[in-house]
Amino acid sequence: MKISYDWLKEYINFDIDINEAARILTDTGLEVESIEEGGSGPADWDTLVVGEVLTKTQHPNADRLSCLTVNVGGEEPLAIVCGAPNVEAGQKVVLAQVGTVFNDGKGDSLKIKKSKIRGEESFGMLCSEVELGIGTDHSGIMVLDASIAAGAKVEDVVEIKTDGGSVEIGLTPNRSDATSHIGVARDLVAAYSLNNSAELIRPSVDNFKVDSNDSAIEVIVEDQDACPRYSGVSLSGIKVGESPEWLKNRLISIGLNPINNIVDVTNFVLHETGQPLHAFDIDKIKGKKIVVKKHDAERKFVTLDSVERTLDVADLMICNESDPMCIAGVFGGLDSGVSSGTTSIFIESAYFNPVTVRKTAKRHGMNTDASFRYERGADPNITVFALKRAVLLIQEICGAKVTSEIVDVYANPIANAEIDFSYANCDRLIGKSIERETIKKIFGLLEIDVVEENAEGLKVSVPPFRADVLREVDLIEEVLRIYGYNNVEDPAKMNSSLVVSDPSIDEEIQNEIADLLSNNGFKEMMSNSLTKSGYYDGKPDFEASENVELLNPLSSDLNIMRKSLLFGGLEAIAYNINRKYANIKSYEFGALYHKRNGKYQEEKHLSILATGDVVNASWNAKKERVNYFYLKGILNSVLSKLGLDLGSLKTKECTSGLYQGGLNSLYKKRLLVSIGNIDSGVLKEFDIDGAVVGADINWTYLMEAIKDKSVKYKVVSKFPGAKRDLALLINSEVEFSEVQKIALGVDNNILKDVSLFDVFEGGNVPKGMKSYGLSFQFQDEKQTLTDDRVEEVMSKLIDTYQSKLSAEIR
């Protein structure tokens, strides 16, 4: 949430540096994530002078540029190339000379240099209000009064009001009280007041008065659970138009675009007080009646963004006598809003049930400034104050008349929460005894009233705008965050209980495999178990009916529990590649979630991903790209460590839609491993251009599969081995696994290993055939091998290959 520091200072009676204010706010729990010191405009006004445009001619090489000569009080006029549509000879203008530096308000700057623009020299720049940071008009250059002398310093003849900067606050969901400038100022004043004199200044609404009751609107609240309070007032004689500069600048300073004076006022009050407002055109309120209700059946409704939406029966609506006009607390309707021809308005200021608003906003995929505040819990006690504040501002700008009494439907007022507060508990939880007067002062500064007091503690009354303060521990937290976490000294002695627990066998195995992968250059990662359902759309092996959906997701990007570790891994890869780190090897242990046959299932998986080079560039390392075979070797190392051989598993084509040419490996007819190159379509979803290889292991099933596996120590033979090579010409459809299986079936006593060191097709090899270069390793663990015995086995192998595979010996 963005807070303008100049705007914030309107509600405090002290002046401190924006960095100091940011430190105080962060210490109170309103974490300042970034600071923008000062707004856009020149870094030094001394380099800006008043110029007189002497001549204007068309640029010879550009239709929309002009070539000017500008008198700045020197001996010779300056040549300036300008693209402003309103520049004319004879005007007095603001000229930024060569060397002027402009800040953009976001940390970047631009220095004006002597340049050639389409072949014509330019020795400066004529400025608009926006470039100077003193206005919002960017339609052309700023034209000064003709009586001002050329060469005068701009800072001497133009009223300069620079932006004091802004802070971005990472607002937590529980702090609904701090969704406004006044709310943030409240915390700033409270913390600053502990050691200084400070006061929170609220705008006065004492001048509000009713001029007549000619435009009264009847309000009926049918659903008081969803709308506990509804306030409103009518105004007439307004003229919709452009807002004054001060109002536009306030909105621009927090990133909002000014629309018109009425809408701008409602937005201003929203960000000032935290109370959302909505203005209806009275002429569009049929029957001069407003009904707050839910409809009995679904119906269509067009919102202000011109999108037709289907209303749910659970959506609370603001209606006239026959039609809906607004989705309560979320978004207004297209047909009832303020337009350029509006002359009378009804302003709504209400308190809606947070749960109702949150469900409606999520259902329609909308997140507005109003819903942001209503979802967290607005203040039901300021609806009338906000109305009066908005009315006075509109009257100041438009001269409107109040033509109705304030309507305030509040059948069941929300009571303050009364909570007992124990000094002893406060001292125990904080670890320090804070002076009792300081505690009471903190409560007062936070507008929490002390209603009873005794030696042991207090009874306090907490207003509804602090929806997060419901228990004694919440009050203790309020005391601590305002007093300051940094003001609680570390104790001289600290006690701690050591708890030692033996890890389970599964944890030990996981740690061993993690060490193996880390030692091979892989880095462990952790991704969010919440993900978006869109990742799985169109993927054959992922049924939408198996999604574990969240009832109230934070966003559409986090609406289901993950069904694969792949997408979180690809998000991490894309993030790193975008930051110029292209060689990535990662692994992740994590749970997957499915809903099958009406039951929720959870499985643990291990995901391994790699892209880029095997090792980073080095003078003593050969450049090698990761590929399918590299990852297969890593995967085989993992399984071998646990007593399984990847080559012995039955394989079939992977059809999940995640891999190109991927393979599934099964153990006892159940899927254990998937491996392959990640599908290019999947990579495109993450804007990843390079190849990525990946493997997925069902860790839960793997732990079951290795229960009957045991790693046994075997004495290393003291007798030397023997090696023989053999070249076979076989049918190209024969796989190495079959060749290996045949060899081990001929002799499993002295034949210890069969490996493939060469594959050749084409050339002199007949079509449909291939040449295999095989290596056979022999060893007798009881005696020294003789050549005769080895040759005997080799003869059997040749005969078997010839008979079973129709092989030719080369």
Side-chain angles (χ1 to χ4, degrees), residues 230-430:
Y230 192 94
S231 309
V233 69
S234 299
L235 295 175
S236 298
I238 68 169
K239 183 178 180 180
V240 177
E242 188 176 354
S243 296
E245 287 299 319
W246 72 265
L247 179 54
K248 290 192 290 185
N249 288 335
R250 281 286 180 254
L251 299 180
I252 290 171
S253 70
I254 57 172
L256 296 182
N257 293 321
I259 298 173
N260 60 54
N261 47 15
I262 304 302
V263 175
D264 291 350
V265 165
T266 61
N267 284 333
F268 177 88
V269 174
L270 163 66
H271 289 275
E272 178 184 57
T273 67
Q275 174 60 41
L277 303 175
H278 187 72
F280 297 96
D281 188 327
I282 285 183
D283 293 337
K284 299 175 183 177
I285 303 177
K286 295 179 182 178
K288 298 298 181 282
K289 179 187 295 185
I290 283 181
V291 183
V292 184
K293 65 179 181 178
K294 296 175 182 176
H295 288 281
D296 297 331
E298 293 183 353
R299 61 185 300 173
K300 301 294 183 180
F301 180 69
V302 181
T303 47
L304 279 171
D305 55 359
S306 301
V307 175
E308 184 180 73
R309 307 178 190 274
T310 301
L311 300 178
D312 189 87
V313 293
D315 293 335
L316 185 69
M317 301 299 298
I318 310 300
C319 310
N320 54 39
E321 67 175 2
S322 60
D323 302 311
M325 298 189 297
C326 175
I327 303 177
V330 181
F331 213 18
L334 183 64
D335 296 332
S336 61
V338 174
S339 64
S340 59
T342 299
T343 57
S344 300
I345 60 172
F346 178 83
I347 304 178
E348 163 196 286
S349 179
Y351 173 78
F352 299 113
N353 185 295
V355 176
T356 300
V357 174
R358 181 167 59 250
K359 288 184 176 180
T360 295
K362 299 303 179 186
R363 189 180 299 118
H364 294 287
M366 292 187 288
N367 181 26
T368 62
D369 284 339
S371 67
F372 177 83
R373 287 154 179 81
Y374 280 130
E375 289 174 15
R376 286 158 173 75
D379 184 359
N381 292 337
I382 65 165
T383 59
V384 173
F385 172 84
L387 269 183
K388 292 180 178 179
R389 174 66 168 155
V391 167
L392 292 174
L393 287 172
I394 291 173
Q395 288 182 320
E396 176 186 329
I397 296 169
C398 306
K401 299 291 185 180
V402 180
T403 50
S404 80
E405 298 287 344
I406 290 179
V407 180
D408 188 19
V409 180
Y410 198 16
N412 301 301
I414 299 173
N416 288 9
E418 293 199 349
I419 306 172
D420 292 323
F421 177 86
S422 164
Y423 289 134
N425 288 339
C426 182
D427 295 344
R428 177 176 58 84
L429 289 179
I430 291 177

Side-chain angles (χ1 to χ4, degrees), residues 503-524:
S504 66
I505 186 65
D506 287 357
E507 289 178 295
E508 290 182 352
I509 293 173
Q510 179 174 323
N511 290 336
E512 284 187 18
I513 299 304
D515 288 343
L516 185 152
L517 291 169
S518 296
N519 291 339
N520 279 276
F522 287 78
K523 292 181 171 61
E524 185 170 10

Side-chain angles (χ1 to χ4, degrees), residues 463-687:
F465 72 80
R466 287 310 306 269
D468 60 321
V469 180
L470 301 173
R471 304 166 298 167
E472 183 187 30
V473 290
D474 298 329
L475 290 171
I476 295 171
E477 182 186 7
E478 292 300 294
V479 171
L480 179 56
R481 71 181 186 84
I482 299 300
Y483 180 77
Y485 293 92
N486 295 331
N487 293 325
V488 178
E489 301 82 4
D490 292 332
K493 177 183 178 183
M494 297 185 70
N495 299 323
S496 177
S497 299
L498 297 178
V499 179
V500 179
S501 60
D502 294 329
S504 66
I505 186 65
D506 287 357
E507 289 178 295
E508 290 182 352
I509 293 173
Q510 179 174 323
N511 290 336
E512 284 187 18
I513 299 304
D515 288 343
L516 185 152
L517 291 169
S518 296
N519 291 339
N520 279 276
F522 287 78
K523 292 181 171 61
E524 185 170 10
M525 63 163 286
M526 297 178 67
S527 61
N528 198 340
S529 57
L530 302 180
T531 186
K532 65 178 180 180
S533 58
Y535 283 152
Y536 303 93
D537 294 343
K539 311 294 189 303
D541 281 7
F542 298 104
E543 297 291 339
S545 59
E546 296 183 353
N547 290 351
V548 179
E549 299 178 348
L550 276 66
L551 293 177
N552 291 304
L554 295 173
S555 72
S556 58
D557 288 340
L558 299 170
N559 61 344
I560 67 169
M561 305 294 285
R562 66 187 174 197
K563 298 193 289 184
S564 171
L565 295 175
L566 174 63
F567 302 111
L570 292 179
E571 286 177 351
I573 287 176
Y575 182 89
N576 281 273
I577 289 176
N578 290 338
R579 284 153 184 80
K580 308 303 180 184
Y581 187 78
N583 302 328
I584 304 162
K585 297 190 294 184
S586 67
Y587 68 95
E588 177 180 13
F589 292 92
L592 307 185
Y593 308 88
H594 298 83
K595 184 179 180 181
R596 292 169 176 150
N597 300 321
K599 295 182 179 180
Y600 293 102
Q601 297 179 3
E602 180 178 334
E603 287 180 340
K604 191 172 187 178
H605 279 235
L606 166 61
S607 174
I608 308 173
L609 294 171
T611 186
D613 295 335
V614 174
V615 295
N616 291 327
S618 174
W619 66 272
N620 63 348
K622 181 181 178 182
K623 183 178 178 65
E624 180 185 358
R625 302 290 288 180
V626 298
N627 55 33
Y628 173 88
F629 298 103
Y630 167 76
L631 190 61
K632 183 180 179 183
I634 297 295
L635 185 58
N636 197 42
S637 299
V638 171
L639 296 180
S640 297
K641 183 87 172 175
L642 302 178
L644 289 176
D645 180 15
L646 182 61
S648 66
L649 301 179
K650 184 179 180 181
T651 61
K652 68 175 185 178
E653 184 181 356
C654 178
T655 59
S656 65
L658 303 181
Y659 301 97
Q660 284 177 332
L663 291 177
N664 288 338
S665 296
L666 289 75
Y667 181 79
K668 295 183 179 179
K669 298 183 179 181
R670 282 183 60 185
L671 177 61
L672 179 64
V673 177
S674 297
I675 181 173
N677 294 298
I678 306 303
D679 185 83
S680 59
V682 174
L683 296 180
K684 189 175 181 180
E685 294 179 37
F686 296 87
D687 293 325

